[in-house]
Amino acid sequence: MEELPRNLLLSIPLKVPDKLEWTSSLLAYITASYAEDAEKYTKDAHTLDALREQALSHSTSSTFALEDLSIYFNQLTFLGSRFPPDINLSIGWFPIFIQQEKPDTINNINYEKSCVLYRLASIYSELGCSQNWVSTEGIRKACQHFQNAAGCLKYVKMELISELRCEPPKDFEIFNALISFMMAQAHECVWQKAVMEHMKHGTVARLATRVSDFYDTFLSDATPLIPNTWKTYADTKSNFFKAFAQYQKANEAISNGRYGEEIARLYLSKSHNACALQHLEKATLLNQAFVDQIHTLQQSIERDLSRAEKDNDVVYLETVPDPTALAPILRSDMVKPILPNFILSPSYWLTLPDRPETDLFIKRPLFEKLVPFAVHQAASVYSDKKDYIVNVEVIAKNQELKAESEKLLDELCLPYSLDIVDVLPKKLVEYAEEVQHEGGIQSLYDMLQKIQTMSRKATHLIEEGFNVIEDENEEDVQLSRQYGKLWARPSSRSLTHNLLTLGGQYNDTVQAAQKADRIVQAKVTKWGKAIAMLSRPPEEIQTYLPTLQEDEENYEFIHETLTSLRSQLEILQQETNERDELQDKVTLMAEKDDISSALVEKANELTKGSPIIKLEPEQFSSVFEEHLARYKVFEDEMKVHITKQADVLHTIQELYGQFSFIVANKNVLNKREKAITNLEAAFTKFKEIRTNLVEGIKFYSHYTDSLSQFRDECNDFALSRRLEASELARDTNPGRLLLLKK
């Protein structure tokens, strides 16, 4: 068989990117999520944009197409160690085999990495197709490129698709098919090399069979997305390599004197090659040289079959076995998906020769000074663990203990129920101090007297206004009688209706206010004695209250129990204060706690500088445990306080039960409690009365202005009427007056 010429294989279509701008999204994310100055990384962000544009603008034939894409991929890998997959950036790429106006978009850095590897697979496949097939070196390189293409696609499938965290695009569903196709072509290279080197028939047959297997796998994995021309291409090749394998096994059979087997395998070869010949019309992607190979094989099969049948019929007379009885052809796996070195060794660019003419050829990872994202994740996990101890095990427990103690003290009315026995309750002392501060009972008397004075003044202003109007009306009536028909003006009664109505309203309001004043005065009279007692110093109030005498039964027991209960209350308060101090300390420590440097050190230890090593928060557990141990101390102390408070509350309940049983039937203590309750009620009345008096003073202060205005309006009216009367009197003719009188 003759060697295959160049360009007899297919390359994966080049995946096309949409426009993308890294800078704004990266800097915005740094500003929003990291406690760092984003401006420090502006240059690196612009460089990443430039690297993308340069790497994705190369054609497959460009000298640096593969190198620049791999460098860009490495930068993306390192970027993934500094940022989360989603940085709120929509990344778009157009699918292969599909014509659509809008790209498939995903907000995930791993999508960009996947598509770059997709594009790299295309370039590797193109490099494989472009090798010189007339030399074994060219075939070796082609085989390596196809295995690298399959390796890129398999890496995306196994490592990156799951990291997209969403449904992958349609053209990601054909990875299995494309991997099988690349493996088929890689194995085809091995087969071609074996043919060129005239290896044994059995070896060539096993290699051809494996090529056919890969094409069959491609066809079984192919989705509707893959064009029919590719499927026809693969089907044709699959049948050709099946035919070629059987033809080689037939040659092996005749070499070993198995003449019947030779004929059976030639028939199988003829059958498979016939299928390949049937597809030729539709197999538009097949190179003419390969088509010629199919025809050449057909001719060889027919020639050998004719000779073999004739020889067997005349000479050998062997039985031709059924095809199903033939031993299957063994497979030889000579290829596998191979990852390019740069995927597992992101710093490989350090070994590349320098390119001084290219500013973008940099031998350092971008954003290398940014704290790794894994550290941020670990810090977040640590913060959650720390917050749980601080907020739940310390602060929340402290609040629960406070609520528990306050509930018991409220139920037992402590310390109030103790203080009413032998001292003034704290609340009553505060009431007395407030009453004294506000002037005591005397302040109420003074305000009440002021209100009475203001009330009398208000009444006087109303009466003064009414008297002025009444006097003017009497004068008007007298003048009207005197002048008779010559007195031509409206009567005062007809003009003062509004003033009289307004005055009546004012009078009603003042009467209502005076009624309220009398109610307040009655309160002062009723509660004056108790309020007067509150106006005294606490020592005098204490002497006023009934007191348990030393000769009373159980006097000593009562006072001993009082002392014990108050001691327990002091211990309870001390426990509360200590817990509050504990809470303040742990809160302050948590606010100042920063383990970033320890996490960065641990991350460097785990990754040894490699960005492809994935870190999980659990790997930082040793750092967490070391730093959380400081908080465990506070947690343990809080547990001790829980036990202490439980003991104190239990003791208080027992002592109070004994105390309340003894004092329940003490008449003198019942009278004392009633007197204290009365004084407390007097304080409430004091505040109420004072409020009433203040409101009353405000009312009269504001209302006096209105009443003064009313009185002045009455005076103005009377004055204007008198002036009018004087003018009318002068203008009236005395003679006419006499005539009218006659």
Side-chain angles (χ1 to χ4, degrees), residues 541-560:
I541 299 176
Q542 174 70 4
T543 59
Y544 158 78
L545 296 173
T547 304
L548 186 68
Q549 301 299 317
E550 293 183 6
D551 57 355
E552 290 277 352
E553 184 181 4
N554 297 321
Y555 175 85
E556 291 185 3
F557 175 79
I558 291 174
H559 278 272
E560 287 176 0

Side-chain angles (χ1 to χ4, degrees), residues 80-239:
S81 72
R82 282 345 191 221
F83 292 91
D86 184 0
I87 58 169
N88 197 28
L89 174 63
S90 182
I91 299 172
W93 285 74
F94 292 92
I96 66 171
F97 295 131
I98 303 176
Q99 295 293 327
Q100 62 184 44
E101 294 182 1
K102 295 183 178 180
D104 297 322
T105 58
I106 298 178
N107 293 357
N108 193 306
I109 293 176
N110 289 307
Y111 181 52
E112 177 80 353
K113 290 178 64 178
S114 300
C115 292
V116 168
L117 284 181
Y118 213 142
R119 189 176 175 95
L120 276 164
S122 301
I123 294 177
Y124 275 120
S125 67
E126 179 63 30
L127 289 172
C129 292
S130 64
Q131 295 303 311
N132 189 338
W133 277 55
V134 299
S135 68
T136 56
E137 180 61 20
I139 293 175
R140 185 193 65 78
K141 288 182 178 179
C143 181
Q144 180 67 33
H145 289 319
F146 289 128
Q147 291 179 90
N148 286 150
C152 289
L153 295 176
K154 186 176 181 180
Y155 186 82
V156 175
K157 173 192 169 187
M158 302 302 294
E159 302 294 335
L160 296 180
I161 286 183
S162 61
E163 299 296 326
L164 297 182
R165 302 175 184 176
C166 67
E167 188 71 22
K170 289 293 183 182
D171 63 341
F172 278 47
E173 297 175 2
I174 62 174
F175 277 145
N176 283 338
L178 291 180
I179 291 170
S180 296
F181 198 92
M182 291 298 103
M183 294 304 294
Q185 298 195 144
H187 225 289
E188 195 170 338
C189 295
V190 178
W191 165 82
Q192 175 63 22
K193 184 173 181 291
V195 171
M196 291 173 61
E197 295 178 351
H198 304 290
M199 290 187 177
K200 293 180 180 179
H201 297 301
T203 300
V204 175
R206 289 195 296 272
L207 293 174
T209 300
R210 195 69 183 105
V211 175
S212 177
D213 289 345
F214 278 122
Y215 279 122
D216 286 342
T217 304
F218 163 78
L219 290 170
S220 64
D221 291 337
T223 69
L225 180 64
I226 295 178
N228 290 330
T229 52
W230 277 58
K231 296 173 184 176
T232 304
Y233 175 95
D235 198 8
T236 305
K237 282 206 165 186
S238 174
N239 280 289

Side-chain angles (χ1 to χ4, degrees), residues 552-698:
E552 290 277 352
E553 184 181 4
N554 297 321
Y555 175 85
E556 291 185 3
F557 175 79
I558 291 174
H559 278 272
E560 287 176 0
T561 308
L562 282 172
T563 302
S564 298
L565 278 169
R566 284 175 175 144
S567 175
Q568 291 299 314
L569 291 177
E570 288 179 2
I571 294 173
L572 185 63
Q573 184 59 48
Q574 184 179 355
E575 279 291 304
T576 301
N577 295 339
E578 289 178 0
R579 291 198 310 270
D580 287 342
E581 291 178 5
L582 189 70
Q583 176 176 318
D584 292 341
K585 287 180 181 179
V586 74
T587 302
L588 182 62
M589 187 173 78
E591 290 174 353
K592 296 181 177 180
D593 193 6
D594 183 6
I595 65 167
S596 298
S597 57
L599 293 174
V600 170
E601 183 178 347
K602 183 65 176 179
N604 292 334
E605 176 188 331
L606 293 170
T607 62
K608 294 181 173 57
S610 174
I612 66 170
I613 296 178
K614 294 182 180 179
L615 294 178
E616 299 297 336
E618 293 76 13
Q619 294 175 272
F620 296 88
S621 58
S622 60
V623 180
F624 296 162
E625 291 174 2
E626 178 184 348
H627 287 76
L628 290 176
R630 299 177 298 163
Y631 295 93
K632 292 290 185 180
V633 174
F634 293 96
E635 183 180 355
D636 293 340
E637 287 187 32
M638 187 57 67
K639 291 178 180 178
V640 173
H641 283 295
I642 292 174
T643 303
K644 283 185 178 180
Q645 175 164 300
D647 293 341
V648 173
L649 293 182
H650 179 71
T651 302
I652 289 174
Q653 283 181 304
E654 285 189 342
L655 290 173
Y656 185 80
Q658 300 170 12
F659 169 78
S660 61
F661 178 77
I662 296 298
V663 302
N665 298 318
K666 292 293 181 180
N667 290 332
V668 65
L669 295 181
N670 292 335
K671 291 179 181 179
R672 180 182 177 88
E673 182 178 358
K674 186 176 181 180
I676 290 175
T677 303
N678 187 58
L679 289 175
E680 291 173 346
F683 172 77
T684 302
K685 287 299 178 180
F686 172 80
K687 299 293 288 185
E688 178 184 322
I689 293 169
R690 184 175 176 81
T691 300
N692 295 153
L693 292 173
V694 170
E695 290 175 353
I697 291 172
K698 287 181 179 179

Side-chain angles (χ1 to χ4, degrees), residues 20-31 37-54 72 75-76 78-79 82-83 87 89 112 360 362 364-370:
L20 180 68
E21 196 259 319
W22 287 104
T23 300
S24 57
S25 296
L26 291 174
L27 298 184
Y29 192 88
I30 293 173
T31 300
D37 181 10
E39 292 299 321
K40 297 189 300 183
Y41 303 99
T42 302
K43 183 177 179 181
D44 279 3
H46 286 311
T47 301
L48 185 64
D49 281 325
L51 280 175
R52 183 181 198 267
E53 183 177 357
Q54 174 178 278
Y72 177 57
Q75 292 291 1
L76 290 177
F78 194 84
L79 192 72
R82 282 345 191 221
F83 292 91
I87 58 169
L89 174 63
E112 177 80 353
L360 293 177
I362 54 175
R364 68 169 181 86
L366 301 174
F367 301 97
E368 60 183 336
K369 295 183 180 179
L370 193 64

Side-chain angles (χ1 to χ4, degrees), residues 227-298:
N228 290 330
T229 52
W230 277 58
K231 296 173 184 176
T232 304
Y233 175 95
D235 198 8
T236 305
K237 282 206 165 186
S238 174
N239 280 289
F240 168 78
F241 282 106
K242 285 184 177 73
F244 194 89
Q246 293 296 342
Y247 183 76
Q248 292 294 313
K249 291 296 286 185
N251 288 335
E252 182 184 59
I254 192 173
S255 299
N256 295 322
R258 299 191 299 274
Y259 304 107
E261 179 183 342
E262 177 196 14
I263 294 172
R265 291 195 182 276
L266 285 173
Y267 271 112
L268 282 176
S269 179
K270 183 178 181 180
S271 174
H272 288 305
N273 206 53
C275 291
L277 288 169
Q278 289 177 1
H279 291 312
L280 289 182
E281 185 177 346
K282 296 181 179 179
T284 57
L285 297 180
L286 284 173
N287 186 281
Q288 184 58 44
F290 190 82
V291 174
D292 293 342
Q293 290 296 318
I294 298 175
H295 287 297
T296 301
L297 178 61
Q298 184 66 20

